[in-house]
Amino acid sequence: MALAPTSENGNADDRPRIDRPIVLVGLMGAGKSCVGRKLAESLALPFLDSDNEVEEAAGCEVRDIFEVYGEPAFRDCERRVIHRLLQAGPSIIATGGGAFMDPATREQVKSHAISVWLRADPEVLYQRTKRAKNRPLLANEDPLQTLKDLAEQRYPVYAEADITIDTGNEGLEKTLQKAIDALKESATSDKTS
Ligand code: S3P
């Protein structure tokens, strides 16, 4: 499948070699962008962020796209952008929290990438997101309840990801190490199956 346990020059290497995109999924505040950036550095791969790419394509920020054009227009653009990013070879792609909920995007991810769900409790996500003002879905009276509702709707779908990593209040380095270990394990089990 996607991973090989040796480096480019054939030497044993502690890093899994990746031959397709790794797509990070999960709710807002799960750490997709932070972990993704670090993972990309560790694996010497390009880092791509679907929200940033959507903003670049649309020429405005995500919250403005929601406000001016509406969520369906955002989802449309997000689907097209992710489709394009998946064609660009091995990379680490941090997706917006709703991206994997789109059936077409999910199918694309399943056939072209390794998906990794960063799972966290809504309370943890709330603590991480409560100060930022850039998430339209959380700009309401009770963002914690919104995160709980979204977790209920989305977690069964995120669970379709190839790899699930539990992240609590641990530091970034710990989550990063878990991700690298899970990718290595996935490479090994793939080799032996
Ligand atoms: C969304 C998550 C956001 C962004 C948009 C919608 C969602 O990305 O795509 O505000 O539906 O969960 P992050 O998960 O990176 O915050």
Side-chain angles (χ1 to χ4, degrees):
M1 179 259 244
L3 306 171
T6 53
S7 65
E8 202 75 66
N9 57 16
N11 294 329
D13 189 327
D14 208 31
R15 296 179 304 194
R17 201 181 80 207
I18 308 295
D19 68 359
R20 63 174 70 186
I22 294 173
V23 171
L24 300 178
V25 306
L27 268 187
M28 295 168 275
K32 301 175 300 280
S33 300
C34 294
V35 174
R37 204 168 278 115
K38 283 272 178 194
L39 189 58
E41 253 174 52
S42 300
L43 301 179
L45 289 171
F47 172 70
L48 302 162
D49 183 306
S50 73
D51 281 344
N52 291 349
E53 298 284 334
V54 167
E55 288 181 338
E56 207 163 292
C60 58
E61 290 185 19
V62 168
R63 64 178 167 191
D64 297 325
I65 305 175
F66 268 71
E67 199 180 309
V68 178
Y69 304 103
E71 182 171 346
F74 171 77
R75 298 296 174 201
D76 231 45
C77 188
E78 182 178 53
R79 186 181 314 111
R80 278 183 280 118
V81 159
I82 292 176
H83 185 101
R84 168 169 60 78
L85 299 182
L86 287 170
Q87 315 303 314
S91 65
I92 308 295
I93 305 175
T95 58
F100 199 63
M101 298 304 294
D102 179 85
T105 300
R106 205 158 60 245
E107 275 320 300
Q108 288 283 327
V109 170
K110 284 183 181 182
S111 45
H112 297 289
I114 303 165
S115 47
V116 178
W117 173 23
L118 299 181
R119 179 167 62 189
D121 287 340
E123 285 78 8
V124 171
L125 300 170
Y126 173 67
Q127 292 305 324
R128 293 202 196 129
T129 53
K130 66 182 181 189
R131 270 176 286 276
K133 297 272 171 269
N134 57 346
R135 293 184 172 98
L137 296 184
L138 299 182
N140 60 44
E141 292 287 288
D142 194 350
L144 174 57
Q145 189 56 49
T146 303
L147 285 165
K148 287 180 180 169
D149 293 345
L150 286 172
E152 203 173 307
Q153 289 161 23
R154 292 180 178 181
Y155 280 14
V157 177
Y158 292 159
E160 294 178 30
D162 299 311
I163 292 171
T164 297
I165 294 174
D166 273 311
T167 78
N169 271 323
E170 64 194 25
L172 184 55
E173 291 300 327
K174 179 113 193 265
T175 308
L176 174 67
Q177 195 53 52
K178 283 185 187 172
I180 293 173
D181 290 346
L183 288 165
K184 274 191 218 159
E185 199 180 309
S186 153
T188 314
S189 62
D190 199 56
K191 233 187 135 202
T192 51
S193 62

